[in-house]
Amino acid sequence: MKQTRLLFLLLAFTVVYACKNDSKQEKKNDQKAENEEYKSIKKSECVASADWFTIVDGTRKTPAPNEGPTSVFADNSTVTNCDFHQWSWQKFLWLTNETKGRPMFIDSLIQVTSHGQRLEQKNGIVLTDTAQASGTSDILKTPDFSSGTPPSTTVYYAIFMNDLLYDTMIKYAPIAKKDPENIKETTYPIGALELKTSWVDIKALPDSSSYFVTDGEINGVSTKVALLGIHVVGIVENHPEFIWATFEHESLAPDYDWSKATPTSDAPVTSTSNYPFFDKNDTATVKNITSNNGINTNIFSVYKYGTPVEIKSIDNKNVQVFMKSSQNGSQNFNNIRTINKSVKSKLSGTWNNYFYNGSIWIDTEGYEGIKAQAALLDSLSASTGGLHNSDTTGFTRGSVAAYNITMETYVQVGFSSDGIHTTKIDNLVNCFLCHSASHGKQHSPLNLSHVFNGYLDSLSGLSKSETKQKHIELIRAKTLKLKQEKE
C-alpha cells in the first residue's frame, strides 16, 4: 500500500514538474527556433480537415474553400494565422482533384502568356518562359553532372488563371490605358485565381516517379514534363491583395545548415547525396542563390516555410532565433509545420510528395470595405518600403520571406547579399516587393497581377521583354532607395 502511495506521489510530482518545465519551455520557444524542424516549439492545432480527403469512386474530391462573406475571412477581428494556411492547403488540394489522371487546374483554368494572351495546348502545357522575376537573365538549370547523366536542363514556367481573373483583366486593362484614375479602386472579385507553375523535362530527373508528370511542349518540341513547384494566388473576402501561397516538390535541393553558421560567418552548403538541383561533389555559397543575371546551379533553400531566422550569440552560445518582423515567426512556422504533417498523414499518391512552403498576405483589420482596402494597398505601394515591409510595424503577415525554390531562387536573401549572416529583416524581400498596386504612375489593386501589367503594356505596344525589363528596373530602383534610407 505504501509502495502504491509512494508511486502515486512520485508520478504526481513528475507531472507537475513536467508542466512547469513545459511552461518555461514555451516562453523560450517564443524567442528561439530549434534545430530538427524546431520540434520543441509549443503545440499547434492548425490541422487539415477530414473532408479535404473525401474519396468518391476511388478519387479524392476536395471541396473548394469558402472564400466569401460567410467565410472565416469575413471578420478581420477573429481570422487567424492558421485560417490562411488552411485555405492554402485546401485550395491546392482542390486544384489537384484529378479527372482521368489530370489535375483539375490543367483542364479547368486558362493558360496564358505573361502578356495575358491565351495559349492553346495542342500537345500539352506550352513552355517557353525561363527567366525568373529577379532578372531577365536569371535562369535556373539542373547541375552539369560530370557523368553527363542526367543532362543539365533548364526550368520553364507556365501561368494559369480562372475566368474571373481573365475576364477582369480583359475588361479593365483598356480602361486603365485610357484613364488610370477610373480603376484606382477596382479590385479582383472574390474567387479570382492565378497560378504560376515550374516544370522540367523528365529527362533531367534520375527518377520522376514521385512527381506529377504530364505532356508538355518545350519551345515547340513535345516531351514529358514534371511539375516542380506551384504558386497558388487567390482573392478571398477582405483581401484584395491576394493570398500568395507556394508549394514545391519535397526533394529538390538541400536546406541551409543553420547549426554550422555563426553570427559572423556563413556555413558552406554540401550534401552527401545528389538532388535534382544540387551536385554532391560541389560546395555552394550565398553566391549560388544571389541574383546576378546569369545561370546558376547547385542551389539550396535558406528560410524554411518562408519564416526568416538568424544566428545570435546568447550566453556565449550561437542560437538560432526567429527574426523580429511584423509576424510572429514561431506561430507561423509551427502552424505550417503542423498542417503539413497533418496533410501528409491523410494524403496518398503523387501529391503527397509536394509540401506547402508558406504564404503571405496583408493585415487589413480596421480597413473595412473595398474602397478602404484599395486605398491601403495604394498607400503601401507608394511608400519606399511598400507592401514588402516586414519590420515590426509592417502590414505583411504569414511567411514574410515567402519564396519558391524554383521561382524565387535568387532573391531568398534579397537582390544582393554579401552573406546569409548579414541578411536582416530590412534586407529581405517577398511577393509584395514585386507585386504591388503601383505600375509606374498607374495605381490600382489590379496591378498586383503581373499578367494584368503585361496585358496592359501589350495594349501600349510593349513586347514581353520590354515589359519584363521595365518591371525589374522599377523593383531594383525601389530596393536601392530602401537600402539607402536604412543606411
Side-chain angles (χ1 to χ4, degrees):
M1 188 70 175
K2 288 183 179 180
Q3 289 180 333
T4 302
R5 183 178 300 174
L6 181 61
L7 182 61
F8 175 81
L9 290 173
L10 181 61
L11 179 61
F13 175 80
T14 303
V15 171
V16 171
Y17 181 80
C19 288
K20 287 182 177 180
N21 275 352
D22 285 346
S23 178
K24 291 179 180 179
Q25 187 63 41
E26 284 184 2
K27 291 179 180 179
K28 290 181 180 179
N29 287 334
D30 284 337
Q31 301 175 338
K32 186 168 74 170
E34 302 283 1
N35 293 325
E36 296 183 6
E37 297 191 4
Y38 318 148
K39 291 178 181 177
S40 63
I41 295 174
K42 55 188 175 183
K43 293 180 180 179
S44 165
E45 295 181 357
C46 194
V47 297
S49 175
D51 69 341
W52 298 356
F53 309 96
T54 301
I55 303 298
V56 179
D57 296 329
T59 304
R60 173 172 54 81
K61 296 295 181 184
T62 304
N66 185 358
E67 301 167 335
T70 61
S71 71
V72 294
F73 304 106
D75 190 341
N76 268 329
S77 66
T78 60
V79 68
T80 68
N81 174 276
C82 178
D83 290 329
F84 290 87
H85 298 315
Q86 287 177 325
W87 174 89
S88 300
W89 252 122
Q90 186 177 1
K91 196 75 170 181
F92 174 85
L93 292 172
W94 174 69
L95 287 164
T96 56
N97 282 334
E98 294 188 2
T99 303
K100 296 181 179 179
R102 287 164 61 94
M104 182 270 283
F105 76 85
I106 292 181
D107 296 319
S108 298
L109 302 185
I110 306 166
Q111 187 182 352
V112 297
T113 68
S114 59
H115 258 183
Q117 305 299 319
R118 280 179 176 262
L119 289 171
E120 183 180 352
Q121 296 183 15
K122 295 180 180 179
N123 299 304
I125 296 170
V126 181
L127 299 169
T128 58
D129 292 337
T130 58
Q132 293 200 3
S134 52
T136 54
S137 301
D138 277 340
I139 294 170
L140 177 61
K141 298 189 71 172
T142 58
D144 188 9
F145 294 104
S146 58
S147 65
T149 305
S152 181
T153 308
T154 302
V155 173
Y156 287 84
Y157 305 101
I159 303 170
F160 298 83
M161 59 175 57
N162 66 359
D163 290 332
L164 275 176
L165 199 149
Y166 183 83
D167 293 343
T168 302
M169 176 183 70
I170 297 300
K171 178 180 179 180
Y172 287 105
I175 297 174
K177 180 178 181 296
K178 185 177 180 180
D179 186 1
E181 286 295 314
N182 280 337
I183 66 160
K184 197 167 184 179
E185 297 175 357
T186 304
T187 61
Y188 293 103
I190 293 169
L193 175 70
E194 184 175 329
L195 307 182
K196 184 173 181 180
T197 56
S198 56
W199 306 82
V200 72
D201 191 317
I202 63 168
K203 290 190 290 292
L205 302 172
D207 182 4
S208 61
S209 62
S210 65
Y211 295 77
F212 168 70
V213 173
T214 190
D215 294 326
E217 193 175 353
I218 298 179
N219 295 322
V221 178
S222 297
T223 187
K224 292 289 185 180
V225 293
L227 177 67
L228 302 174
I230 178 170
H231 285 323
V232 178
V233 185
I235 299 288
V236 301
E237 187 82 19
N238 284 321
H239 290 278
E241 80 283 4
F242 293 96
I243 300 173
W244 300 76
T246 192
F247 297 79
E248 58 190 66
H249 192 275
E250 61 187 4
S251 302
L252 296 177
D255 293 328
Y256 182 65
D257 190 351
W258 286 94
S259 68
K260 296 180 180 178
T262 77
T264 58
S265 65
D266 286 357
V269 180
T270 60
S271 175
T272 57
S273 59
N274 287 328
Y275 287 82
F277 291 96
F278 199 95
D279 184 343
K280 68 179 181 180
N281 295 312
D282 287 321
T283 299
T285 69
V286 69
K287 292 182 179 179
N288 292 68
I289 57 165
T290 301
S291 174
N292 61 3
N293 283 311
I295 299 174
N296 287 346
T297 58
N298 297 313
I299 61 170
F300 54 94
S301 179
V302 180
Y303 302 118
K304 194 164 188 176
Y305 306 146
T307 307
V309 296
E310 59 186 333
I311 299 295
K312 286 190 174 183
S313 179
I314 301 176
D315 297 331
N316 295 319
K317 294 181 179 180
N318 291 334
V319 180
Q320 186 178 355
V321 300
F322 290 108
M323 288 186 188
K324 288 185 178 180
S325 72
S326 56
Q327 170 67 57
N328 183 320
S330 173
Q331 177 196 54
N332 187 72
F333 183 97
N334 201 43
N335 280 344
I336 297 173
R337 181 179 66 85
T338 304
I339 196 170
N340 277 350
K341 183 178 180 180
S342 176
V343 170
K344 195 168 187 66
S345 69
K346 299 178 178 66
L347 186 62
S348 60
T350 298
W351 299 110
N352 199 26
N353 299 311
Y354 293 81
F355 76 98
Y356 170 50
N357 202 32
S359 62
I360 189 168
W361 60 93
I362 296 297
D363 178 15
T364 58
E365 185 174 3
Y367 296 85
E368 302 302 323
I370 292 300
K371 186 174 181 178
Q373 291 161 4
L376 170 65
L377 297 180
D378 183 39
S379 67
L380 290 173
S381 64
S383 67
T384 305
L387 285 168
H388 74 293
N389 181 8
S390 298
D391 64 23
T392 55
T393 62
F395 282 78
T396 50
R397 295 293 182 269
S399 302
V400 297
Y403 68 95
N404 186 290
I405 191 62
T406 62
M407 296 188 229
E408 289 81 33
T409 313
Y410 308 121
V411 291
Q412 293 182 67
V413 291
F415 272 103
S416 61
S417 178
D418 297 325
I420 296 171
H421 68 279
T422 65
T423 304
K424 305 301 178 185
I425 200 68
D426 292 336
N427 307 126
L428 290 175
V429 302
N430 56 47
C431 308
F432 292 125
L433 171 63
C434 298
H435 297 270
S436 73
S438 65
H439 183 58
K441 296 181 179 180
Q442 185 221 14
H443 297 271
S444 169
L446 297 178
N447 291 322
L448 283 149
S449 168
H450 282 178
V451 183
F452 181 89
N453 298 156
Y455 183 66
L456 177 59
D457 286 344
S458 73
L459 298 179
S460 299
L462 270 65
S463 66
K464 286 172 61 177
S465 60
E466 288 172 332
T467 295
K468 178 85 171 180
Q469 188 59 42
K470 169 186 172 183
H471 194 73
I472 289 172
E473 288 172 359
L474 288 171
I475 294 169
R476 289 181 179 269
K478 181 178 283 190
T479 304
L480 178 62
K481 188 176 180 181
L482 178 63
K483 182 180 180 181
Q484 292 171 341
E485 289 180 354
K486 293 294 182 182
E487 291 173 348

